[in-house]
Amino acid sequence: MGNKLFLALLAVLLSGGTAFSQIHRMEKGDSAMTSRTYSLNPVVVTGSGHHQRLKSTATPVRVLSAQEIREQGITTFEDALVRMLPQASMAPSSMGTFLRLNGLGNKYILILINGQKLSGDISNNVDLSRIDMARVKRIEVLDGAASSLYGSDAIGGVINIITDESTRSLCSASNTTTVSGYGKLTESVTLDVYKNGFGSYTSFTHDRADSYQNSGLEYQKGSETATQPTIAPLFTGYRSNFVSQKFTWSPTRHLAFNAGISYNHKITDRPDTQSDIAGGTDYEMRYKGLRWTVGGIYKFDRRNSLQADLTIDRFRYGKQYDVATKTNTVGDYVQSKKQRTAERQVKAILGLTPNGTTIVGTDWRLDKLLTATGNIDQETYDLAYYAQHEEPFLDHFTVTVGTRYDYHKTFGNHVTPKVALMGSFGSFNLRATYSAGFRAPGLDELYYHYFAVNRGKAQISFGNRDLKPEKSNYFALNAEYRSDLLAVSLTGYLNRISDMVVKQNIDVDDPTRKMLMKEFPEMTQEQADKMVSYACYQNSDEGDVKGFQLNISANLLRGFNLSANYAYTYARTKSGEEWNVLERSIRHAATIAANYHHTWGRYGLNVNLNGRLQSKTYYTGSYEDAPGYGIWNLNTTHSFDIAKWVYLEPSLGIDNIFDRVDRRIDSSARKYALYSPGRMFIVGLKVKFKN
C-alpha cells in the first residue's frame, strides 16, 4: 500500500496541484452569485494572534475556506478535516469522535471558535456536533505547539473555526438540505439581518444518520474461527439539533459589541438489546451543550485596539434508557458527566513601533467537573499573562518573539516561549519556528475514582493527584513559493513531548484486592478474585513525532484548479526503555482535489473530484493494524442566479465512487480506520433569499 500510495501521489504532484492557495478570476458575463473568487492570500488570525495576510505570517497556517468545503459537498466538520487535511484522522463512536492531528490525539488538540475554546468531551473524545457548519467562514489549522498564545492543550495543534456574520445586505435567509444513503440528512437554516450597525444572526441545523455495520458477524468470545451474528454497529447513528443566536452592534466605527448563545442536543440511535442476538444496547447516549459569549472591541486606530471576551460553556452527557433493566425503566436518564467552563480574555494589539505589532493579554479560566461514574466533584482555575512582538528588519526578515506565564491552581507556575523567523525574497518565503507547549492534566486524570462491571468483570480506574503537566518542544522549518499560478509549501517538523499522561495497568495481588474492596464496597468477593489488573493515570511516557508536509496548488487552465497535499508522520512513544508506535498513527496520507468551474450567464457549474489515500493505521497491544485505503468522491453544484433576491444551488454527488469497504469480521482484537458503508449518492439543495 505504501509504494502504491507514493507512486500515485507522485504522479499527481508532478502534474501540479491547490490546497491552500486560490486565485481570483472573474469570467466575462459572470453575475454576482455565480462568480468565483479564489484568494491566494487570505486574512488569517490563528498563527500570530492578530489579523494579517497568510503570506505575511511567520507561522504557517492551513486555511480551509467555506467555498472549498461547499465545493466538495462537505456538510460535517469531521469530513472537512479528513478530506482536506492528510495529517488529520477521525474515529467516530458513540462516545464522540476521536480526532488525531499529526499523530497526536484529542487531548493535545485545542479547538477554538472565534478564538475561544470549545469545551465538552466524552471520555476524552470531542463532541464535534457542537460546531455550527452553517456559519463557518473558514477553518484555520495551526500545526504543532502554540501554548505561548493559547495556553494548555495546544501541544499537537490548534484548530480555529471562524464564523461568518454578513454585513452586505439588509436581510438574507438561506436553507440548505443534503440527503444521502443510510438515513443521512443535514438541514441548515439561517436568517441574517443587518442595518445601521446592528446585526442579528440566527441559525438552526438538524443532522441525523442511521447506524450501520459492514459485517453482520463477530467472532465468538475466545475464538478467532467461530463466528456468530451481531447487530452491533460499526458506525453509531445519531440525531442532532443545533441552534444559535448572535447579535452585533457597532455604534461607531471604533467600537463594536457582540453577544451570542448556542444550544445543541444529540442522542445516539443504536439497536436495542435483544435476547436472541448479540450487539444491542439498553440505552442511548444523550449529550447537551449550552454556550454563552459576550465581547467587545475598541479600535483606537488602524493599528491599535483593545478587545475583551467572556465565554461560559456548559456540557453534560449521560445514558437515556430505551430498554427496561433491573434498575431502570424506559425513559430514565442517568447523568454520567457534567462540565462547566468560564473563560475571560482581554487582549491589546498595539503598534508600538513603526512597522511592528505587539500583543499583550491575560486569560482567566475556570473548569468544573462533576461525574457520577468517576466520583468527581472538583474545580480548578488557570490565570495567564502573555506578550508577543513581531518586527520586520533588514527589508526581507520578520522575527516574532513571545512568551506566556500561567499560574495553575493545581500545578503552579509555568512559562512557554516562542520564537519564529521568516525571510521573504520575492515569491519565496523561508520560515523557522520554535515553540513550547504544555498541557495541564484534566480533572478526570487527577481525581478519577471509577468502578464498573462489564460482562461480569470489575473495571477500576484511579486518578493521580501527583501528576505533572505534560510539556513539549516543537521545531519546524518551512519553505514556500507563491505566484498567481502556482503555490508550493514544504514543512518539516519535530515535536518532542515529556511526562505524557497515560493509563497504566497495575497487577493485582492479595493485599491489593483487599485495598480495592475497601475503596469500592460494592465490589463482590467473586469480582475481586477475578481481577488481574486495575488502571491508574501516570506520567510515564515520552513522545516523539516527526514528519513533513507537502502542499502543491496549481491553476493549470482557466477555471481548472488542481491540488495535492501529502503528510508523512512518524510518531512514537517511549515507556521505560522501549519505543512503540503511537496508537492510531498513520505513516503516509494524501488528499487530492481537482476542481472545474464555468459560468454561462446566470448559470454556474462546479465539478469537484477529491480523494483521500492513506497507509495502514497502527494499533498497539493485542490489536491488529487497520489496512490502508483510497476513497474518491465526486460532487457537482449548479448555481442559478434567478433574480436579485433569490439564488438556487442544487448539488449531485457520489461518495466513495469505487465502493471501498472494510468488511473484516469484528473481534476483540480488531480496530478500524475506514468507516464508510460503501458507495452513496448525495443530493442537495441550497436556496438563498436576500434583500
Side-chain angles (χ1 to χ4, degrees):
M1 175 66 190
N3 291 335
K4 292 181 180 178
L5 173 63
F6 176 77
L7 292 174
L9 178 62
L10 181 63
V12 174
L13 294 183
L14 290 176
S15 67
T18 126
F20 55 86
S21 69
Q22 305 168 324
I23 286 186
H24 170 74
R25 288 177 182 264
M26 183 76 76
E27 298 189 19
K28 186 176 181 180
D30 283 359
S31 63
M33 297 303 295
T34 58
S35 65
R36 301 266 317 187
T37 302
Y38 284 100
S39 175
L40 191 74
N41 191 29
V43 173
V44 295
V45 67
T46 308
S48 61
H50 66 97
H51 290 86
Q52 61 181 165
R53 292 292 178 180
L54 182 60
K55 73 174 184 179
S56 301
T57 179
T59 305
V61 177
R62 174 76 165 91
V63 180
L64 313 180
S65 70
Q67 180 171 288
E68 290 176 294
I69 293 170
R70 186 176 68 253
E71 288 171 350
Q72 294 197 21
I74 294 170
T75 59
T76 66
F77 181 74
E78 295 95 318
D79 283 346
L81 293 190
V82 171
R83 290 194 187 185
M84 304 173 75
L85 292 177
Q87 67 267 39
S89 63
M90 300 279 187
S93 74
S94 62
M95 302 303 289
T97 302
F98 193 90
L99 166 64
R100 279 202 172 271
L101 186 68
N102 297 308
L104 295 172
N106 283 330
K107 65 180 183 178
Y108 300 108
I109 305 165
L110 183 61
I111 298 181
L112 309 173
I113 298 179
N114 295 319
Q116 282 116 39
K117 182 176 179 178
L118 176 68
S119 300
D121 68 85
I122 310 103
S123 298
N124 285 325
N125 290 343
V126 182
D127 184 6
L128 298 178
S129 65
R130 306 193 71 201
I131 297 172
D132 183 11
M133 290 299 291
R135 286 288 178 195
V136 169
K137 182 178 182 180
R138 64 182 184 273
I139 301 172
E140 300 179 3
V141 181
L142 175 64
D143 292 312
S147 291
S148 63
L149 276 179
Y150 298 106
S152 181
D153 302 344
I155 284 181
V158 177
I159 301 174
N160 194 5
I161 298 103
I162 309 298
T163 60
D164 186 23
E165 287 87 33
S166 175
T167 60
R168 292 188 296 269
S169 59
L170 173 62
C171 182
S172 65
S174 69
N175 178 276
T176 304
T177 306
T178 305
V179 182
S180 62
Y182 298 90
K184 187 166 179 58
L185 166 69
T186 301
E187 180 96 19
S188 298
V189 180
T190 65
L191 174 64
D192 298 351
V193 178
Y194 183 84
K195 185 177 183 181
N196 298 331
F198 174 81
S200 172
Y201 307 95
T202 310
S203 64
F204 169 77
T205 298
H206 173 71
D207 193 20
R208 63 186 296 169
D210 293 342
S211 294
Y212 58 77
Q213 52 181 192
N214 290 340
S215 172
L217 297 174
E218 66 178 7
Y219 286 107
Q220 295 179 10
K221 187 178 180 180
S223 174
E224 283 294 325
T225 56
T227 62
Q228 64 184 19
T230 180
I231 56 175
L234 173 68
F235 175 86
T236 301
Y238 62 89
R239 305 290 183 267
S240 174
N241 291 312
F242 181 96
V243 60
S244 70
Q245 174 65 56
K246 185 173 183 178
F247 296 103
T248 63
W249 181 43
S250 300
T252 73
R253 64 187 183 91
H254 294 286
L255 183 63
F257 299 99
N258 69 85
I261 185 172
S262 64
Y263 169 80
N264 74 292
H265 177 279
K266 179 180 177 181
I267 189 167
T268 59
D269 185 15
R270 301 181 290 186
D272 293 343
T273 300
Q274 299 181 26
S275 59
D276 57 343
I277 190 170
T281 55
D282 297 335
Y283 56 84
E284 303 297 346
M285 299 300 300
R286 192 186 80 184
Y287 324 110
K288 289 185 178 181
L290 186 62
R291 179 181 174 94
W292 295 272
T293 60
V294 61
I297 182 171
Y298 185 82
K299 296 183 178 181
F300 300 93
D301 52 40
R302 186 176 59 86
R303 299 187 61 217
N304 296 274
S305 63
L306 178 67
Q307 63 186 71
D309 296 282
L310 173 66
T311 302
I312 298 176
D313 205 346
R314 297 174 179 265
F315 180 77
R316 66 181 68 189
Y317 75 90
K319 302 172 182 178
Q320 182 169 304
Y321 282 81
D322 46 19
V323 174
T325 68
K326 293 180 180 179
T327 56
N328 297 97
T329 61
V330 175
D332 283 353
Y333 172 73
V334 179
Q335 183 171 285
S336 299
K337 190 174 185 179
K338 179 180 178 181
Q339 295 172 277
R340 182 186 175 191
T341 300
E343 185 171 14
R344 182 191 63 213
Q345 300 177 339
V346 179
K347 179 169 70 173
I349 302 174
L350 307 170
L352 300 180
T353 63
N355 298 309
T357 301
T358 303
I359 298 175
V360 293
T362 178
D363 290 347
W364 173 82
R365 179 181 173 86
L366 174 70
D367 288 296
K368 292 186 177 182
L369 177 62
L370 175 66
T371 68
T373 53
N375 195 26
I376 302 173
D377 186 0
Q378 297 287 341
E379 68 177 51
T380 190
Y381 68 85
D382 181 275
L383 177 62
Y385 303 93
Y386 61 90
Q388 178 178 284
H389 182 71
E390 181 180 289
E391 185 72 33
F393 66 100
L394 297 180
D395 295 332
H396 298 288
F397 295 94
T398 301
V399 63
T400 303
V401 179
T403 190
R404 181 186 183 99
Y405 165 78
D406 283 86
Y407 176 77
H408 194 280
K409 175 185 175 182
T410 307
F411 301 106
N413 305 314
H414 200 85
V415 176
T416 47
K418 171 186 175 179
V419 179
L421 177 66
M422 181 177 72
S424 298
F425 309 94
S427 298
F428 292 91
N429 286 328
L430 301 175
R431 299 179 175 95
T433 303
Y434 163 75
S435 56
F438 90 100
R439 175 185 172 270
L443 291 170
D444 51 349
E445 295 167 324
L446 291 169
Y447 300 107
Y448 223 31
H449 193 259
Y450 175 82
F451 173 82
V453 179
N454 185 16
R455 296 182 180 181
K457 291 185 178 181
Q459 296 178 338
I460 291 176
S461 296
F462 286 104
N464 184 351
R465 301 187 186 190
D466 295 324
L467 290 175
K468 297 179 290 185
E470 299 173 89
K471 299 177 287 292
S472 72
N473 291 288
Y474 178 78
F475 306 87
L477 295 174
N478 169 264
E480 177 186 74
Y481 170 82
R482 286 179 180 271
S483 71
D484 287 344
L485 298 177
L486 178 68
V488 181
S489 176
L490 177 64
T491 303
Y493 66 90
L494 170 64
N495 200 358
R496 287 191 166 165
I497 308 157
S498 59
D499 295 323
M500 294 181 76
V501 176
V502 297
K503 257 188 180 182
Q504 285 195 335
N505 290 324
I506 300 174
D507 294 337
V508 173
D509 54 19
D510 288 338
T512 305
R513 286 189 179 89
K514 293 179 181 178
M515 179 274 291
L516 294 175
M517 292 188 70
K518 185 177 180 180
E519 287 286 332
F520 302 99
E522 63 268 39
M523 183 167 59
T524 66
Q525 183 66 54
E526 181 183 2
Q527 292 167 346
D529 291 340
K530 291 181 180 179
M531 286 200 67
V532 177
S533 64
Y534 70 94
C536 183
Y537 286 100
Q538 301 282 354
N539 289 107
S540 65
D541 284 13
E542 298 177 23
D544 185 278
V545 184
K546 49 192 156 190
F548 69 89
Q549 298 172 17
L550 179 62
N551 308 99
I552 301 179
S553 307
N555 292 272
L556 302 179
L557 301 170
R558 184 179 179 86
F560 181 69
N561 317 104
L562 193 63
S563 71
N565 309 284
Y566 170 74
Y568 169 80
T569 307
Y570 184 51
R572 304 183 300 164
T573 58
K574 183 180 180 182
S575 296
E577 297 300 320
E578 183 179 357
W579 284 97
N580 293 295
V581 66
L582 194 63
E583 176 85 359
R584 297 180 186 265
S585 62
I586 301 165
R587 194 68 53 85
H588 305 276
T591 58
I592 302 166
N595 191 85
Y596 172 76
H597 65 273
H598 190 75
T599 59
W600 296 268
R602 292 186 172 273
Y603 168 71
L605 170 67
N606 185 89
V607 181
N608 188 284
L609 177 67
N610 64 82
R612 179 182 175 93
L613 303 91
Q614 70 175 50
S615 58
K616 68 180 180 181
T617 301
Y618 291 95
Y619 287 95
T620 58
S622 60
Y623 296 115
E624 65 180 50
D625 297 334
Y629 63 86
I631 292 286
W632 293 91
N633 312 292
L634 177 67
N635 187 67
T636 66
T637 56
H638 309 265
S639 304
F640 297 91
D641 203 357
I642 296 177
K644 290 183 178 181
W645 56 273
V646 63
Y647 164 76
L648 297 178
E649 187 179 83
S651 61
L652 298 170
I654 306 174
D655 270 3
N656 197 350
I657 296 172
F658 301 107
D659 201 27
R660 291 296 305 272
V661 180
D662 186 349
R663 299 194 185 278
R664 293 177 299 157
I665 297 175
D666 195 12
S667 76
S668 59
R670 192 138 295 159
K671 295 287 187 177
Y672 296 85
L674 176 59
Y675 291 85
S676 172
R679 185 185 301 115
M680 290 192 300
F681 293 92
I682 302 171
V683 179
L685 175 63
K686 179 177 182 178
V687 183
K688 186 169 184 177
F689 303 92
K690 62 173 185 171
N691 185 340

